[in-house]
Amino acid sequence: MGHAYIDLLVEDYMQFIEALRLRSKLFFLFILITIGLFSIGIMGAININSMKKNLDALYFGSLVPVTELNEMLQTYHNGLSSTLYKAKNSEISTFTTANELEHSLTKIKKLWLSYESHFKRDEELQYVEYVALEIKVVNRYFLKLLRAARNDTDMSGVSIVSLEKYVSHIHTVLQKLINYEVNMARYERKKFLQIYDSAIFKLGLILGLIILAVLIISYSVFASIQSDQTRLELATKKLKRLNKKLENVSYTDTLTDMHNRRYFNLVYERELKRAKRTHSHITFMMLDIDYFKQYNDTYGHLEGDNALKTVANVLVETLRRPSDFVFRLGGEEFGVLLTQTDESSSANLAREICDVVRGKEIEHKGSKVNDYLTISIGVVCCIADDALNEDILISRADEMLYEAKETGRDRYVITSNVSESKAQSIEDMTA
């Protein structure tokens, strides 16, 4: 009595330890998840701040086109205009004038090509094309003056009115484009900041909800862990009982690995009902090894078991369709159930089975019909209907098997007559 009580205490203690271990694992998992979520939040915030800095840089980078346009304006004023004023007042030579004009025009061309290479929206393209045309017109005026300077023409006759007119016009055109670029950069940054603030809020909200959900779930798990432990033990015991029942209701013959008589009863009833519903052919064969008792007496039960396995393998290898079922019904007796197989095909299969078994050339000195192991088969094949008796196929196949043995064995006999009287149509394999 004392030992039993100690064993019970030990068992309770072990269950408590297991439950405690499970709680510890869950708590550790919760800590890891929480740390992971906080880490994700921190990394997300860092990445978003980094993205903000990058886009701020992009904002200032978007002012690069503005810088290029301003530099073009400065070149028109300080490069071209200033040079021509000096040339008109004879402050510089025509050679210097030509060099400075050429340098300024080349610089303006490069700056404009660089500006055009930047991303442009569809609504910008039309005005950019207009500015390009105006630049060509103005530059054409300065190119004429450049050619004149190269030809050593006196530059004192340059019209200041025309010069100021062209420079003032291009200034207005480029300044309008500069103002547009600045306004667009400000608008894009304002829109980004709105998206940034919204993303930060959503990220915080989602992480908060996830952490809250993890806390609630963990609490529920911790609260129910003991009852779950008890349910698990009950489920384990129930599963063991069910497994025991499944073992007792095995459908496999241990010697041949074929389906046994229990499974035959299940399949036979199911397939017969199906054949009745569709009014299709159904065939049942009953097979018996000829003079099997004498074979056992001559070669021993071990060889007898090998003979049974050989016949089983012949049946399995010959009947491969999903609608073909083979069984070991008991002893040396086998059963075959075929669906959607007419009488001619059934007869051919029975003949093939007999031939293959005989072709294995298993010596059988105790046989009175052949030097090798043979089988006899009784076959019944018919179209199933509602009037078909469930037991008639088995009884008629048994009658045909008896007929095969009476008429010499090593053969099959087939009938399609499923009446209570014996069939008159008998096909002998040796005929």
Side-chain angles (χ1 to χ4, degrees), residues 173-184:
V173 171
L174 289 176
Q175 189 61 52
K176 184 177 179 182
L177 191 57
I178 289 170
N179 293 338
Y180 172 81
E181 290 287 351
V182 171
N183 290 332
M184 283 304 300

Side-chain angles (χ1 to χ4, degrees), residues 146-165:
L146 172 61
R147 285 193 291 270
R150 285 175 177 171
N151 293 330
D152 202 23
T153 304
D154 184 12
M155 303 301 293
S156 61
V158 174
S159 173
I160 297 300
V161 174
S162 297
L163 175 62
E164 290 180 350
K165 175 186 173 183

Side-chain angles (χ1 to χ4, degrees), residues 76-92 97 100-101 141-142 145 155-168:
Y76 275 112
H77 285 286
N78 299 329
L80 295 174
S81 233
S82 177
T83 299
L84 288 171
Y85 274 117
K86 291 177 183 179
K88 181 176 176 61
N89 296 325
S90 301
E91 295 178 8
I92 57 176
T97 300
E100 290 189 7
L101 289 176
Y141 164 75
F142 286 106
L145 296 175
M155 303 301 293
S156 61
V158 174
S159 173
I160 297 300
V161 174
S162 297
L163 175 62
E164 290 180 350
K165 175 186 173 183
Y166 279 107
V167 173
S168 176

Side-chain angles (χ1 to χ4, degrees), residues 369-405:
V369 296
N370 202 299
D371 293 334
Y372 301 115
L373 190 77
T374 59
I375 60 171
S376 298
I377 307 177
V379 187
V380 57
C381 176
C382 67
I383 296 177
D385 54 27
D386 294 336
L388 181 62
N389 186 288
E390 292 185 0
D391 299 327
I392 192 66
L393 287 178
I394 299 174
S395 62
R396 296 295 288 125
D398 188 50
E399 292 173 6
M400 294 303 102
L401 177 59
Y402 179 80
E403 194 78 36
K405 291 180 178 181

